Amino acid sequence: MNDAPELRDPEVMTILGRGRIEITGRLVAASNATLFGTASVDGVSVKCVYKPVRGERPLWDFPDGTLAGREVASYLVSEAAGWHVVPPTVLRDGPFGTGMVQAWVDTDTTDDLVDVCAPKKVPKGWLGVLRARDDDGRPAVLVHADHPELRTMAAFDVVVNNADRKGGHVLAGDDGHVYGVDHGLTMHSEDKLRTVLWGWVGEPLTEEIVDALGMLRAELEGPLAERLGDHITLTEIRTLTDRVDGLLGVGRYPEPSGYGPAIPWPAF
């Protein structure tokens, strides 16, 4: 096989969409069927995750069979804003039927960006989210890095209404970029934001994020809405647009709504 292209190389999308998928393993900790393998075209392979629709676990608040499409919709939003938060993602037929296929992110497992630690061991410059106690009753703090790409991810999560931003869904890629994965619980028309990235509550959005939101808003007036319509409902597209408008109008990171849990469980 030839060397795999870089994660953000446009060739990756072509390989994910057209390549022959070979399954080599399963991520057993995932709540939905999550298979690992490669997609290959003309001797070039890309490591990937494949989540067939038939392997989705039914949920009371998200329509059955829609999670794979929501993952693709989140990718489309990320790309339209120029954020590149989500690894390349497509919806296509695979060995077990239609499903989401996403480029695998190679990571340095020693470079965690979200952690739980003792209050006195919080890394310098990191931001606290939640104080709690561990299984032995000792004080613990949920914290995350004050990283510019995490700031972007936090804004992205507000826009897509991410109900499941766990610490384990934040990946520091070997390519030097930060990625978010597992976006099946997004795009709902009701407020469901649950995330571990609350460190910037009330702080102004950066100029770069405001510019990206403006670009995304313009794209929602064009072909992006039609592409999203293949994966989410018209109501969900309208509320997505409302969230962009709301974030632009306030210009700050929001506080938890108070209508439900602000942090997913488990947090990792």
Side-chain angles (χ1 to χ4, degrees):
M1 292 286 181
N2 297 328
D3 291 340
E6 296 293 326
L7 197 60
R8 295 188 177 185
D9 189 319
E11 185 183 6
V12 171
M13 284 293 287
T14 300
I15 295 171
L16 293 177
R18 294 179 42 226
R20 178 180 179 273
I21 296 176
E22 180 180 355
I23 303 301
T24 57
R26 178 174 182 176
L27 305 180
V28 295
S31 56
N32 299 298
T34 303
L35 307 175
F36 174 77
T38 59
S40 304
V41 173
D42 297 331
V44 180
S45 293
V46 171
K47 290 187 288 186
C48 64
V49 172
Y50 165 51
K51 297 181 182 179
V53 171
R54 68 174 66 175
E56 293 179 5
R57 178 170 56 87
L59 300 170
W60 69 269
D61 54 346
F62 282 82
D64 291 352
T66 67
L67 305 191
R70 293 174 191 277
E71 296 232 33
V72 177
S74 293
Y75 169 74
L76 294 174
V77 168
S78 169
E79 291 301 292
W83 284 332
H84 311 299
V85 170
V86 184
T89 309
V90 301
L91 187 71
R92 55 162 289 183
D93 191 35
F96 299 101
T98 300
M100 182 222 72
V101 180
Q102 183 175 85
W104 176 265
V105 179
D106 285 317
T107 63
D108 180 351
T109 56
T110 65
D111 192 17
D112 292 331
L113 296 170
V114 182
D115 200 4
V116 174
C117 58
K120 292 183 179 180
K121 293 188 177 181
V122 176
K124 185 178 180 179
W126 281 42
L127 305 174
V129 174
L130 176 70
R131 290 184 176 273
R133 291 188 179 273
D134 64 18
D135 293 339
D136 296 320
R138 294 171 299 195
V141 188
L142 174 64
V143 294
H144 62 72
D146 187 5
H147 190 292
E149 289 190 61
L150 280 190
R151 283 180 176 262
T152 297
M153 188 180 297
F156 164 79
D157 283 342
V158 175
V159 168
V160 301
N161 196 17
N162 192 353
D164 196 33
R165 174 63 72 206
K166 293 180 169 69
H169 298 170
V170 179
L171 305 178
D174 285 351
D175 62 358
H177 296 290
V178 177
Y179 296 95
V181 296
D182 284 337
H183 297 112
L185 302 187
T186 57
M187 302 294 179
H188 205 289
S189 58
E190 300 175 6
D191 186 2
K192 292 186 177 292
L193 181 61
R194 294 191 291 267
T195 174
V196 297
L197 302 179
W198 287 113
W200 300 283
V201 166
E203 291 192 14
L205 302 173
T206 64
E207 182 178 347
E208 291 79 8
I209 289 175
V210 170
D211 290 344
L213 289 169
M215 184 166 62
L216 173 59
R217 185 62 177 84
E219 289 290 323
L220 284 166
E221 295 292 336
L224 175 60
E226 184 175 346
R227 296 181 69 191
L228 289 171
D230 292 335
H231 307 292
I232 59 177
T233 68
L234 290 176
T235 298
E236 289 167 338
I237 295 172
R238 284 196 295 268
T239 54
L240 163 64
T241 304
D242 290 344
R243 289 192 296 273
V244 175
D245 288 340
L247 203 51
L248 280 169
V250 175
R252 294 177 180 273
Y253 289 93
E255 297 180 355
S257 68
Y259 293 115
I263 295 174
W265 183 260
F268 283 83

